[in-house]
Amino acid sequence: MSRTPASRRPGPAGGSGPTPYRKPVPIFWWLRRRAYLVFVLRELSGVFIAWFVVFLLLMAGAIAEGSDAYEQFRDWSGQWSVVLLNVIALLFVLLHTLTWFGLAPRAMAVRLRGRRVRPGPIVATHYLLWALLTAAVAWLILKG
Amino acid sequence: MARRSPEPLLWLLFSAGGMAAALLVPVLLFLFGIAFPLGWLSAPDHTHLLSVLRHPATKVILFGLCLLCLFHWAHRFRYTLYDGLRLKNLSLVISLFCYGGAVAGSVAAGVVLFRI
């Protein structure tokens, strides 16, 4: 196989014709259309979700270490550069949340009494669950 | 090939992570990353946060959140590198970096959270 010239290798369809020409795609193909850009921004939200894990673990570690370490963490997280990073991260995470809920009806086929549930109620259920969990977490943290 | 592809499991972790992140990350990031540092809300004191973190349910939930978020990141980042930067021919290195990073991060999360 390795000795066969490229032009004589079987094509992907299993035929014996030459490999079809593939037009090279430029690296920045996603700057060409707004929809492509939103797609890539949504994909990049994963990086900021990973950053959140790092931030959370730094905080948990500081809290575990003692009140001095916690105060140090608060000084560090109060710097404008860290706050700015977290503002950008929150915008990306919100983009993730909105697009995730928007896609939910297409990702899951919920059936109730034999009928497929329409997209509207599925999306609404997600937003309701989000609101409830947000309120519960805020209550738990702020009640102290 | 008789070997089963790990792709369905990785997709399941990606999907669960996407849901967990969508539901829980905004409120936590807003409170601890923005509202408390800027003084919009008064930050909880150390004893309260420590008692919340010491509860077994908090540990399990936060560990699950960290693990799922990291595998979500790994899956998305892998495909971002494949498609966004046209790096499909480096797929082995990219997979090792992404999923290896998720595993290492999850271990770190377990060490931090369960030692509290």
Side-chain angles (χ1 to χ4, degrees), chain A residues 27 29-30 42-43 45-46 59 63 66 70 96-97 100 126 130 140-141, chain B residues 15 18-19 22-23 32-33 37 44 46 48-49 72-73 76 80 83-84 116:
Chain A
I27 286 187
W29 57 269
W30 37 272
R42 194 193 74 196
E43 296 302 292
S45 67
M59 183 174 72
I63 294 169
Y70 174 57
H96 164 75
T97 299
W100 192 265
H126 280 81
W130 186 30
L140 181 71
I141 293 167
Chain B
S15 185
M19 190 60 85
L23 291 171
F32 290 107
H46 177 255
H48 172 65
L49 289 179
H72 177 84
W73 161 78
R76 265 208 163 149
T80 306
D83 302 331
I116 295 172

PDB file of all heavy atoms in Angstrom, chain A residues 27 29-30 42-43 45-46 59 63 66 70 96-97 100 126 130 140-141, chain B residues 15 18-19 22-23 32-33 37 44 46 48-49 72-73 76 80 83-84 116:
ATOM      1  N   ILE A  27      -7.145  27.843   8.027  1.00  0.00           N
ATOM      2  CA  ILE A  27      -7.213  27.719   9.489  1.00  0.00           C
ATOM      3  C   ILE A  27      -8.319  28.600  10.063  1.00  0.00           C
ATOM      4  O   ILE A  27      -9.023  28.213  10.978  1.00  0.00           O
ATOM      5  CB  ILE A  27      -5.843  28.102  10.097  1.00  0.00           C
ATOM      6  CG1 ILE A  27      -4.841  26.983   9.836  1.00  0.00           C
ATOM      7  CG2 ILE A  27      -5.969  28.323  11.594  1.00  0.00           C
ATOM      8  CD1 ILE A  27      -3.520  27.177  10.531  1.00  0.00           C
ATOM      9  N   TRP A  29     -11.183  29.479   8.978  1.00  0.00           N
ATOM     10  CA  TRP A  29     -12.465  29.331   8.259  1.00  0.00           C
ATOM     11  C   TRP A  29     -13.632  29.864   9.075  1.00  0.00           C
ATOM     12  O   TRP A  29     -14.625  30.320   8.521  1.00  0.00           O
ATOM     13  CB  TRP A  29     -12.716  27.848   7.936  1.00  0.00           C
ATOM     14  CG  TRP A  29     -12.728  26.959   9.141  1.00  0.00           C
ATOM     15  CD1 TRP A  29     -11.655  26.319   9.668  1.00  0.00           C
ATOM     16  CD2 TRP A  29     -13.838  26.627   9.972  1.00  0.00           C
ATOM     17  NE1 TRP A  29     -12.018  25.610  10.780  1.00  0.00           N
ATOM     18  CE2 TRP A  29     -13.350  25.772  10.989  1.00  0.00           C
ATOM     19  CE3 TRP A  29     -15.197  26.947   9.954  1.00  0.00           C
ATOM     20  CZ2 TRP A  29     -14.169  25.246  11.978  1.00  0.00           C
ATOM     21  CZ3 TRP A  29     -16.013  26.422  10.939  1.00  0.00           C
ATOM     22  CH2 TRP A  29     -15.501  25.584  11.943  1.00  0.00           C
ATOM     23  N   TRP A  30     -13.497  29.870  10.404  1.00  0.00           N
ATOM     24  CA  TRP A  30     -14.627  30.223  11.267  1.00  0.00           C
ATOM     25  C   TRP A  30     -14.806  31.722  11.421  1.00  0.00           C
ATOM     26  O   TRP A  30     -15.698  32.183  12.119  1.00  0.00           O
ATOM     27  CB  TRP A  30     -14.468  29.549  12.621  1.00  0.00           C
ATOM     28  CG  TRP A  30     -13.054  29.497  13.095  1.00  0.00           C
ATOM     29  CD1 TRP A  30     -12.128  28.526  12.827  1.00  0.00           C
ATOM     30  CD2 TRP A  30     -12.383  30.475  13.877  1.00  0.00           C
ATOM     31  NE1 TRP A  30     -10.936  28.836  13.411  1.00  0.00           N
ATOM     32  CE2 TRP A  30     -11.061  30.017  14.071  1.00  0.00           C
ATOM     33  CE3 TRP A  30     -12.781  31.684  14.466  1.00  0.00           C
ATOM     34  CZ2 TRP A  30     -10.132  30.740  14.800  1.00  0.00           C
ATOM     35  CZ3 TRP A  30     -11.851  32.393  15.192  1.00  0.00           C
ATOM     36  CH2 TRP A  30     -10.545  31.917  15.347  1.00  0.00           C
ATOM     37  N   ARG A  42     -18.711  29.169  21.253  1.00  0.00           N
ATOM     38  CA  ARG A  42     -19.368  28.192  22.125  1.00  0.00           C
ATOM     39  C   ARG A  42     -18.413  27.050  22.450  1.00  0.00           C
ATOM     40  O   ARG A  42     -18.334  26.596  23.589  1.00  0.00           O
ATOM     41  CB  ARG A  42     -20.611  27.651  21.407  1.00  0.00           C
ATOM     42  CG  ARG A  42     -21.545  26.905  22.313  1.00  0.00           C
ATOM     43  CD  ARG A  42     -22.556  26.141  21.499  1.00  0.00           C
ATOM     44  NE  ARG A  42     -21.943  24.973  20.889  1.00  0.00           N
ATOM     45  CZ  ARG A  42     -22.482  24.282  19.893  1.00  0.00           C
ATOM     46  NH1 ARG A  42     -23.630  24.648  19.367  1.00  0.00           N
ATOM     47  NH2 ARG A  42     -21.887  23.228  19.411  1.00  0.00           N
ATOM     48  N   GLU A  43     -17.656  26.617  21.450  1.00  0.00           N
ATOM     49  CA  GLU A  43     -16.684  25.547  21.710  1.00  0.00           C
ATOM     50  C   GLU A  43     -15.614  26.015  22.693  1.00  0.00           C
ATOM     51  O   GLU A  43     -15.166  25.251  23.538  1.00  0.00           O
ATOM     52  CB  GLU A  43     -16.018  25.108  20.409  1.00  0.00           C
ATOM     53  CG  GLU A  43     -16.966  24.482  19.401  1.00  0.00           C
ATOM     54  CD  GLU A  43     -17.683  23.271  19.944  1.00  0.00           C
ATOM     55  OE1 GLU A  43     -17.022  22.260  20.174  1.00  0.00           O
ATOM     56  OE2 GLU A  43     -18.911  23.340  20.139  1.00  0.00           O
ATOM     57  N   SER A  45     -16.018  27.912  25.148  1.00  0.00           N
ATOM     58  CA  SER A  45     -16.532  28.026  26.515  1.00  0.00           C
ATOM     59  C   SER A  45     -15.967  26.912  27.397  1.00  0.00           C
ATOM     60  O   SER A  45     -15.810  27.100  28.603  1.00  0.00           O
ATOM     61  CB  SER A  45     -18.055  27.981  26.512  1.00  0.00           C
ATOM     62  OG  SER A  45     -18.511  26.705  26.102  1.00  0.00           O
ATOM     63  N   GLY A  46     -15.619  25.771  26.783  1.00  0.00           N
ATOM     64  CA  GLY A  46     -15.042  24.673  27.558  1.00  0.00           C
ATOM     65  C   GLY A  46     -13.779  25.097  28.304  1.00  0.00           C
ATOM     66  O   GLY A  46     -13.541  24.672  29.435  1.00  0.00           O
ATOM     67  N   MET A  59      -9.790  28.020  45.639  1.00  0.00           N
ATOM     68  CA  MET A  59     -10.560  28.570  46.747  1.00  0.00           C
ATOM     69  C   MET A  59     -10.794  27.510  47.824  1.00  0.00           C
ATOM     70  O   MET A  59     -10.595  27.768  49.014  1.00  0.00           O
ATOM     71  CB  MET A  59     -11.893  29.116  46.243  1.00  0.00           C
ATOM     72  CG  MET A  59     -12.697  29.772  47.336  1.00  0.00           C
ATOM     73  SD  MET A  59     -14.168  30.544  46.709  1.00  0.00           S
ATOM     74  CE  MET A  59     -15.154  29.106  46.337  1.00  0.00           C
ATOM     75  N   ILE A  63      -9.611  27.700  51.694  1.00  0.00           N
ATOM     76  CA  ILE A  63     -10.551  27.613  52.826  1.00  0.00           C
ATOM     77  C   ILE A  63     -10.118  26.489  53.768  1.00  0.00           C
ATOM     78  O   ILE A  63     -10.156  26.626  54.993  1.00  0.00           O
ATOM     79  CB  ILE A  63     -11.990  27.403  52.319  1.00  0.00           C
ATOM     80  CG1 ILE A  63     -12.468  28.638  51.548  1.00  0.00           C
ATOM     81  CG2 ILE A  63     -12.940  27.118  53.477  1.00  0.00           C
ATOM     82  CD1 ILE A  63     -13.757  28.437  50.791  1.00  0.00           C
ATOM     83  N   GLY A  66      -7.072  27.420  56.154  1.00  0.00           N
ATOM     84  CA  GLY A  66      -7.309  28.270  57.316  1.00  0.00           C
ATOM     85  C   GLY A  66      -7.753  29.658  56.916  1.00  0.00           C
ATOM     86  O   GLY A  66      -7.777  29.988  55.725  1.00  0.00           O
ATOM     87  N   TYR A  70      -7.492  31.896  53.370  1.00  0.00           N
ATOM     88  CA  TYR A  70      -8.735  32.347  52.733  1.00  0.00           C
ATOM     89  C   TYR A  70      -8.673  33.848  52.466  1.00  0.00           C
ATOM     90  O   TYR A  70      -9.073  34.315  51.388  1.00  0.00           O
ATOM     91  CB  TYR A  70      -9.926  31.985  53.624  1.00  0.00           C
ATOM     92  CG  TYR A  70     -11.260  32.520  53.144  1.00  0.00           C
ATOM     93  CD1 TYR A  70     -11.743  32.209  51.883  1.00  0.00           C
ATOM     94  CD2 TYR A  70     -12.043  33.336  53.961  1.00  0.00           C
ATOM     95  CE1 TYR A  70     -12.971  32.698  51.442  1.00  0.00           C
ATOM     96  CE2 TYR A  70     -13.263  33.820  53.549  1.00  0.00           C
ATOM     97  CZ  TYR A  70     -13.720  33.511  52.286  1.00  0.00           C
ATOM     98  OH  TYR A  70     -14.928  34.001  51.851  1.00  0.00           O
ATOM     99  N   HIS A  96     -22.598  29.215  27.000  1.00  0.00           N
ATOM    100  CA  HIS A  96     -22.721  27.757  27.058  1.00  0.00           C
ATOM    101  C   HIS A  96     -24.104  27.360  27.580  1.00  0.00           C
ATOM    102  O   HIS A  96     -24.775  26.512  27.000  1.00  0.00           O
ATOM    103  CB  HIS A  96     -21.634  27.167  27.956  1.00  0.00           C
ATOM    104  CG  HIS A  96     -21.907  25.752  28.384  1.00  0.00           C
ATOM    105  ND1 HIS A  96     -21.754  24.687  27.536  1.00  0.00           N
ATOM    106  CD2 HIS A  96     -22.377  25.251  29.543  1.00  0.00           C
ATOM    107  CE1 HIS A  96     -22.101  23.579  28.163  1.00  0.00           C
ATOM    108  NE2 HIS A  96     -22.491  23.889  29.390  1.00  0.00           N
ATOM    109  N   THR A  97     -24.517  27.980  28.700  1.00  0.00           N
ATOM    110  CA  THR A  97     -25.807  27.606  29.303  1.00  0.00           C
ATOM    111  C   THR A  97     -26.955  27.840  28.327  1.00  0.00           C
ATOM    112  O   THR A  97     -27.803  26.957  28.130  1.00  0.00           O
ATOM    113  CB  THR A  97     -26.029  28.423  30.597  1.00  0.00           C
ATOM    114  OG1 THR A  97     -24.986  28.118  31.523  1.00  0.00           O
ATOM    115  CG2 THR A  97     -27.348  28.070  31.245  1.00  0.00           C
ATOM    116  N   TRP A 100     -26.778  25.453  25.440  1.00  0.00           N
ATOM    117  CA  TRP A 100     -27.006  24.071  25.895  1.00  0.00           C
ATOM    118  C   TRP A 100     -28.496  23.818  26.085  1.00  0.00           C
ATOM    119  O   TRP A 100     -29.028  22.798  25.648  1.00  0.00           O
ATOM    120  CB  TRP A 100     -26.246  23.829  27.192  1.00  0.00           C
ATOM    121  CG  TRP A 100     -26.168  22.399  27.583  1.00  0.00           C
ATOM    122  CD1 TRP A 100     -26.998  21.749  28.441  1.00  0.00           C
ATOM    123  CD2 TRP A 100     -25.228  21.424  27.111  1.00  0.00           C
ATOM    124  NE1 TRP A 100     -26.634  20.430  28.545  1.00  0.00           N
ATOM    125  CE2 TRP A 100     -25.558  20.201  27.747  1.00  0.00           C
ATOM    126  CE3 TRP A 100     -24.154  21.469  26.216  1.00  0.00           C
ATOM    127  CZ2 TRP A 100     -24.826  19.039  27.497  1.00  0.00           C
ATOM    128  CZ3 TRP A 100     -23.451  20.310  25.992  1.00  0.00           C
ATOM    129  CH2 TRP A 100     -23.786  19.115  26.621  1.00  0.00           C
ATOM    130  N   HIS A 126     -35.744  23.172  31.740  1.00  0.00           N
ATOM    131  CA  HIS A 126     -34.331  23.416  32.011  1.00  0.00           C
ATOM    132  C   HIS A 126     -34.127  24.762  32.704  1.00  0.00           C
ATOM    133  O   HIS A 126     -33.353  24.862  33.657  1.00  0.00           O
ATOM    134  CB  HIS A 126     -33.524  23.373  30.714  1.00  0.00           C
ATOM    135  CG  HIS A 126     -33.224  21.981  30.252  1.00  0.00           C
ATOM    136  ND1 HIS A 126     -34.139  21.214  29.572  1.00  0.00           N
ATOM    137  CD2 HIS A 126     -32.123  21.218  30.384  1.00  0.00           C
ATOM    138  CE1 HIS A 126     -33.599  20.044  29.304  1.00  0.00           C
ATOM    139  NE2 HIS A 126     -32.377  20.014  29.784  1.00  0.00           N
ATOM    140  N   TRP A 130     -32.650  25.439  36.418  1.00  0.00           N
ATOM    141  CA  TRP A 130     -31.512  26.353  36.572  1.00  0.00           C
ATOM    142  C   TRP A 130     -31.821  27.387  37.654  1.00  0.00           C
ATOM    143  O   TRP A 130     -31.002  27.636  38.551  1.00  0.00           O
ATOM    144  CB  TRP A 130     -31.223  27.033  35.229  1.00  0.00           C
ATOM    145  CG  TRP A 130     -29.988  27.880  35.209  1.00  0.00           C
ATOM    146  CD1 TRP A 130     -28.856  27.688  35.947  1.00  0.00           C
ATOM    147  CD2 TRP A 130     -29.762  29.044  34.416  1.00  0.00           C
ATOM    148  NE1 TRP A 130     -27.932  28.675  35.642  1.00  0.00           N
ATOM    149  CE2 TRP A 130     -28.459  29.512  34.711  1.00  0.00           C
ATOM    150  CE3 TRP A 130     -30.514  29.737  33.454  1.00  0.00           C
ATOM    151  CZ2 TRP A 130     -27.908  30.642  34.102  1.00  0.00           C
ATOM    152  CZ3 TRP A 130     -29.967  30.861  32.848  1.00  0.00           C
ATOM    153  CH2 TRP A 130     -28.682  31.306  33.166  1.00  0.00           C
ATOM    154  N   LEU A 140     -27.573  28.755  50.227  1.00  0.00           N
ATOM    155  CA  LEU A 140     -26.630  28.001  51.061  1.00  0.00           C
ATOM    156  C   LEU A 140     -25.372  28.821  51.359  1.00  0.00           C
ATOM    157  O   LEU A 140     -24.857  28.801  52.477  1.00  0.00           O
ATOM    158  CB  LEU A 140     -26.249  26.705  50.331  1.00  0.00           C
ATOM    159  CG  LEU A 140     -25.279  25.784  51.066  1.00  0.00           C
ATOM    160  CD1 LEU A 140     -25.959  25.141  52.258  1.00  0.00           C
ATOM    161  CD2 LEU A 140     -24.744  24.708  50.132  1.00  0.00           C
ATOM    162  N   ILE A 141     -24.887  29.554  50.350  1.00  0.00           N
ATOM    163  CA  ILE A 141     -23.641  30.302  50.532  1.00  0.00           C
ATOM    164  C   ILE A 141     -23.878  31.579  51.338  1.00  0.00           C
ATOM    165  O   ILE A 141     -23.084  31.953  52.189  1.00  0.00           O
ATOM    166  CB  ILE A 141     -23.014  30.629  49.155  1.00  0.00           C
ATOM    167  CG1 ILE A 141     -22.543  29.333  48.483  1.00  0.00           C
ATOM    168  CG2 ILE A 141     -21.839  31.587  49.293  1.00  0.00           C
ATOM    169  CD1 ILE A 141     -22.204  29.482  47.029  1.00  0.00           C
TER     170      ILE A 141
ATOM    171  N   SER B  15     -21.549  15.159  27.827  1.00  0.00           N
ATOM    172  CA  SER B  15     -22.939  15.608  27.905  1.00  0.00           C
ATOM    173  C   SER B  15     -23.352  15.890  29.350  1.00  0.00           C
ATOM    174  O   SER B  15     -23.957  16.930  29.652  1.00  0.00           O
ATOM    175  CB  SER B  15     -23.790  14.507  27.288  1.00  0.00           C
ATOM    176  OG  SER B  15     -25.101  14.900  27.217  1.00  0.00           O
ATOM    177  N   GLY B  18     -21.705  19.040  30.411  1.00  0.00           N
ATOM    178  CA  GLY B  18     -22.352  20.223  29.853  1.00  0.00           C
ATOM    179  C   GLY B  18     -23.565  20.615  30.665  1.00  0.00           C
ATOM    180  O   GLY B  18     -23.806  21.801  30.934  1.00  0.00           O
ATOM    181  N   MET B  19     -24.326  19.616  31.100  1.00  0.00           N
ATOM    182  CA  MET B  19     -25.522  19.898  31.894  1.00  0.00           C
ATOM    183  C   MET B  19     -25.132  20.427  33.276  1.00  0.00           C
ATOM    184  O   MET B  19     -25.676  21.436  33.738  1.00  0.00           O
ATOM    185  CB  MET B  19     -26.351  18.614  32.020  1.00  0.00           C
ATOM    186  CG  MET B  19     -27.719  18.823  32.602  1.00  0.00           C
ATOM    187  SD  MET B  19     -28.717  19.957  31.614  1.00  0.00           S
ATOM    188  CE  MET B  19     -29.395  18.842  30.410  1.00  0.00           C
ATOM    189  N   ALA B  22     -23.787  23.944  32.947  1.00  0.00           N
ATOM    190  CA  ALA B  22     -24.828  24.918  32.609  1.00  0.00           C
ATOM    191  C   ALA B  22     -25.653  25.276  33.836  1.00  0.00           C
ATOM    192  O   ALA B  22     -26.046  26.426  34.022  1.00  0.00           O
ATOM    193  CB  ALA B  22     -25.734  24.355  31.507  1.00  0.00           C
ATOM    194  N   LEU B  23     -25.911  24.297  34.698  1.00  0.00           N
ATOM    195  CA  LEU B  23     -26.790  24.528  35.842  1.00  0.00           C
ATOM    196  C   LEU B  23     -26.066  25.184  37.018  1.00  0.00           C
ATOM    197  O   LEU B  23     -26.645  26.027  37.705  1.00  0.00           O
ATOM    198  CB  LEU B  23     -27.415  23.201  36.299  1.00  0.00           C
ATOM    199  CG  LEU B  23     -28.429  22.573  35.345  1.00  0.00           C
ATOM    200  CD1 LEU B  23     -28.793  21.175  35.815  1.00  0.00           C
ATOM    201  CD2 LEU B  23     -29.684  23.426  35.235  1.00  0.00           C
ATOM    202  N   PHE B  32     -18.474  34.014  43.627  1.00  0.00           N
ATOM    203  CA  PHE B  32     -17.095  34.005  44.123  1.00  0.00           C
ATOM    204  C   PHE B  32     -16.121  34.741  43.211  1.00  0.00           C
ATOM    205  O   PHE B  32     -15.086  35.223  43.672  1.00  0.00           O
ATOM    206  CB  PHE B  32     -16.623  32.566  44.340  1.00  0.00           C
ATOM    207  CG  PHE B  32     -17.303  31.896  45.502  1.00  0.00           C
ATOM    208  CD1 PHE B  32     -18.263  30.927  45.295  1.00  0.00           C
ATOM    209  CD2 PHE B  32     -17.001  32.283  46.796  1.00  0.00           C
ATOM    210  CE1 PHE B  32     -18.906  30.326  46.367  1.00  0.00           C
ATOM    211  CE2 PHE B  32     -17.644  31.693  47.873  1.00  0.00           C
ATOM    212  CZ  PHE B  32     -18.600  30.704  47.662  1.00  0.00           C
ATOM    213  N   GLY B  33     -16.435  34.824  41.926  1.00  0.00           N
ATOM    214  CA  GLY B  33     -15.502  35.457  41.002  1.00  0.00           C
ATOM    215  C   GLY B  33     -15.755  36.934  40.798  1.00  0.00           C
ATOM    216  O   GLY B  33     -14.849  37.682  40.442  1.00  0.00           O
ATOM    217  N   PRO B  37     -15.683  39.604  45.246  1.00  0.00           N
ATOM    218  CA  PRO B  37     -14.487  40.447  45.087  1.00  0.00           C
ATOM    219  C   PRO B  37     -14.817  41.928  44.892  1.00  0.00           C
ATOM    220  O   PRO B  37     -14.086  42.789  45.366  1.00  0.00           O
ATOM    221  CB  PRO B  37     -13.804  39.870  43.837  1.00  0.00           C
ATOM    222  CG  PRO B  37     -14.261  38.469  43.771  1.00  0.00           C
ATOM    223  CD  PRO B  37     -15.663  38.464  44.298  1.00  0.00           C
ATOM    224  N   PRO B  44     -19.180  35.596  52.533  1.00  0.00           N
ATOM    225  CA  PRO B  44     -19.384  34.783  53.732  1.00  0.00           C
ATOM    226  C   PRO B  44     -18.074  34.606  54.493  1.00  0.00           C
ATOM    227  O   PRO B  44     -16.992  34.649  53.893  1.00  0.00           O
ATOM    228  CB  PRO B  44     -19.886  33.451  53.181  1.00  0.00           C
ATOM    229  CG  PRO B  44     -19.496  33.425  51.763  1.00  0.00           C
ATOM    230  CD  PRO B  44     -19.393  34.835  51.302  1.00  0.00           C
ATOM    231  N   HIS B  46     -15.124  32.758  56.927  1.00  0.00           N
ATOM    232  CA  HIS B  46     -14.380  31.509  56.735  1.00  0.00           C
ATOM    233  C   HIS B  46     -15.058  30.321  57.399  1.00  0.00           C
ATOM    234  O   HIS B  46     -15.146  29.238  56.818  1.00  0.00           O
ATOM    235  CB  HIS B  46     -12.956  31.711  57.268  1.00  0.00           C
ATOM    236  CG  HIS B  46     -12.125  30.486  57.181  1.00  0.00           C
ATOM    237  ND1 HIS B  46     -11.811  29.727  58.278  1.00  0.00           N
ATOM    238  CD2 HIS B  46     -11.585  29.863  56.120  1.00  0.00           C
ATOM    239  CE1 HIS B  46     -11.092  28.697  57.881  1.00  0.00           C
ATOM    240  NE2 HIS B  46     -10.932  28.759  56.585  1.00  0.00           N
ATOM    241  N   HIS B  48     -18.206  29.706  58.056  1.00  0.00           N
ATOM    242  CA  HIS B  48     -19.386  29.224  57.339  1.00  0.00           C
ATOM    243  C   HIS B  48     -18.981  28.408  56.112  1.00  0.00           C
ATOM    244  O   HIS B  48     -19.494  27.304  55.893  1.00  0.00           O
ATOM    245  CB  HIS B  48     -20.265  30.404  56.927  1.00  0.00           C
ATOM    246  CG  HIS B  48     -21.404  30.007  56.028  1.00  0.00           C
ATOM    247  ND1 HIS B  48     -22.418  29.180  56.460  1.00  0.00           N
ATOM    248  CD2 HIS B  48     -21.670  30.287  54.730  1.00  0.00           C
ATOM    249  CE1 HIS B  48     -23.260  28.984  55.453  1.00  0.00           C
ATOM    250  NE2 HIS B  48     -22.838  29.637  54.400  1.00  0.00           N
ATOM    251  N   LEU B  49     -18.039  28.949  55.324  1.00  0.00           N
ATOM    252  CA  LEU B  49     -17.614  28.233  54.117  1.00  0.00           C
ATOM    253  C   LEU B  49     -16.969  26.898  54.468  1.00  0.00           C
ATOM    254  O   LEU B  49     -17.191  25.893  53.784  1.00  0.00           O
ATOM    255  CB  LEU B  49     -16.649  29.090  53.303  1.00  0.00           C
ATOM    256  CG  LEU B  49     -17.282  30.290  52.600  1.00  0.00           C
ATOM    257  CD1 LEU B  49     -16.233  31.083  51.857  1.00  0.00           C
ATOM    258  CD2 LEU B  49     -18.371  29.830  51.630  1.00  0.00           C
ATOM    259  N   HIS B  72     -15.927  17.474  30.148  1.00  0.00           N
ATOM    260  CA  HIS B  72     -16.621  18.305  29.166  1.00  0.00           C
ATOM    261  C   HIS B  72     -15.608  19.170  28.414  1.00  0.00           C
ATOM    262  O   HIS B  72     -15.616  19.233  27.181  1.00  0.00           O
ATOM    263  CB  HIS B  72     -17.657  19.183  29.893  1.00  0.00           C
ATOM    264  CG  HIS B  72     -18.366  20.121  28.979  1.00  0.00           C
ATOM    265  ND1 HIS B  72     -19.455  19.745  28.240  1.00  0.00           N
ATOM    266  CD2 HIS B  72     -18.139  21.423  28.671  1.00  0.00           C
ATOM    267  CE1 HIS B  72     -19.864  20.771  27.523  1.00  0.00           C
ATOM    268  NE2 HIS B  72     -19.083  21.798  27.768  1.00  0.00           N
ATOM    269  N   TRP B  73     -14.710  19.813  29.183  1.00  0.00           N
ATOM    270  CA  TRP B  73     -13.670  20.623  28.562  1.00  0.00           C
ATOM    271  C   TRP B  73     -12.828  19.773  27.606  1.00  0.00           C
ATOM    272  O   TRP B  73     -12.563  20.184  26.471  1.00  0.00           O
ATOM    273  CB  TRP B  73     -12.747  21.231  29.633  1.00  0.00           C
ATOM    274  CG  TRP B  73     -11.446  21.670  29.061  1.00  0.00           C
ATOM    275  CD1 TRP B  73     -11.223  22.811  28.352  1.00  0.00           C
ATOM    276  CD2 TRP B  73     -10.206  20.944  29.068  1.00  0.00           C
ATOM    277  NE1 TRP B  73      -9.911  22.838  27.937  1.00  0.00           N
ATOM    278  CE2 TRP B  73      -9.268  21.715  28.356  1.00  0.00           C
ATOM    279  CE3 TRP B  73      -9.800  19.728  29.619  1.00  0.00           C
ATOM    280  CZ2 TRP B  73      -7.946  21.302  28.179  1.00  0.00           C
ATOM    281  CZ3 TRP B  73      -8.490  19.318  29.433  1.00  0.00           C
ATOM    282  CH2 TRP B  73      -7.577  20.098  28.724  1.00  0.00           C
ATOM    283  N   ARG B  76     -14.667  18.985  24.315  1.00  0.00           N
ATOM    284  CA  ARG B  76     -14.863  20.160  23.461  1.00  0.00           C
ATOM    285  C   ARG B  76     -13.542  20.660  22.915  1.00  0.00           C
ATOM    286  O   ARG B  76     -13.444  21.012  21.752  1.00  0.00           O
ATOM    287  CB  ARG B  76     -15.537  21.274  24.265  1.00  0.00           C
ATOM    288  CG  ARG B  76     -17.003  21.251  24.073  1.00  0.00           C
ATOM    289  CD  ARG B  76     -17.654  22.592  24.234  1.00  0.00           C
ATOM    290  NE  ARG B  76     -18.972  22.493  23.642  1.00  0.00           N
ATOM    291  CZ  ARG B  76     -20.008  23.174  24.054  1.00  0.00           C
ATOM    292  NH1 ARG B  76     -19.903  24.029  25.036  1.00  0.00           N
ATOM    293  NH2 ARG B  76     -21.170  23.028  23.454  1.00  0.00           N
ATOM    294  N   THR B  80     -12.295  21.230  19.204  1.00  0.00           N
ATOM    295  CA  THR B  80     -11.920  22.590  18.786  1.00  0.00           C
ATOM    296  C   THR B  80     -10.572  22.552  18.091  1.00  0.00           C
ATOM    297  O   THR B  80     -10.372  23.195  17.061  1.00  0.00           O
ATOM    298  CB  THR B  80     -11.859  23.529  20.010  1.00  0.00           C
ATOM    299  OG1 THR B  80     -13.087  23.452  20.706  1.00  0.00           O
ATOM    300  CG2 THR B  80     -11.624  24.965  19.583  1.00  0.00           C
ATOM    301  N   ASP B  83     -11.084  20.654  14.607  1.00  0.00           N
ATOM    302  CA  ASP B  83     -11.826  21.361  13.559  1.00  0.00           C
ATOM    303  C   ASP B  83     -11.394  22.809  13.431  1.00  0.00           C
ATOM    304  O   ASP B  83     -11.204  23.311  12.330  1.00  0.00           O
ATOM    305  CB  ASP B  83     -13.334  21.329  13.857  1.00  0.00           C
ATOM    306  CG  ASP B  83     -13.849  19.909  13.960  1.00  0.00           C
ATOM    307  OD1 ASP B  83     -13.263  19.042  13.307  1.00  0.00           O
ATOM    308  OD2 ASP B  83     -14.822  19.686  14.680  1.00  0.00           O
ATOM    309  N   GLY B  84     -11.256  23.471  14.606  1.00  0.00           N
ATOM    310  CA  GLY B  84     -10.972  24.897  14.572  1.00  0.00           C
ATOM    311  C   GLY B  84      -9.603  25.189  14.012  1.00  0.00           C
ATOM    312  O   GLY B  84      -9.411  26.126  13.245  1.00  0.00           O
ATOM    313  N   ILE B 116     -10.369  18.017  53.063  1.00  0.00           N
ATOM    314  CA  ILE B 116     -10.870  19.131  53.888  1.00  0.00           C
ATOM    315  C   ILE B 116     -11.492  18.597  55.174  1.00  0.00           C
ATOM    316  O   ILE B 116     -12.301  17.680  55.136  1.00  0.00           O
ATOM    317  CB  ILE B 116     -11.895  19.975  53.104  1.00  0.00           C
ATOM    318  CG1 ILE B 116     -11.223  20.655  51.915  1.00  0.00           C
ATOM    319  CG2 ILE B 116     -12.515  21.031  54.022  1.00  0.00           C
ATOM    320  CD1 ILE B 116     -12.177  21.353  50.989  1.00  0.00           C
TER     321      ILE B 116
END
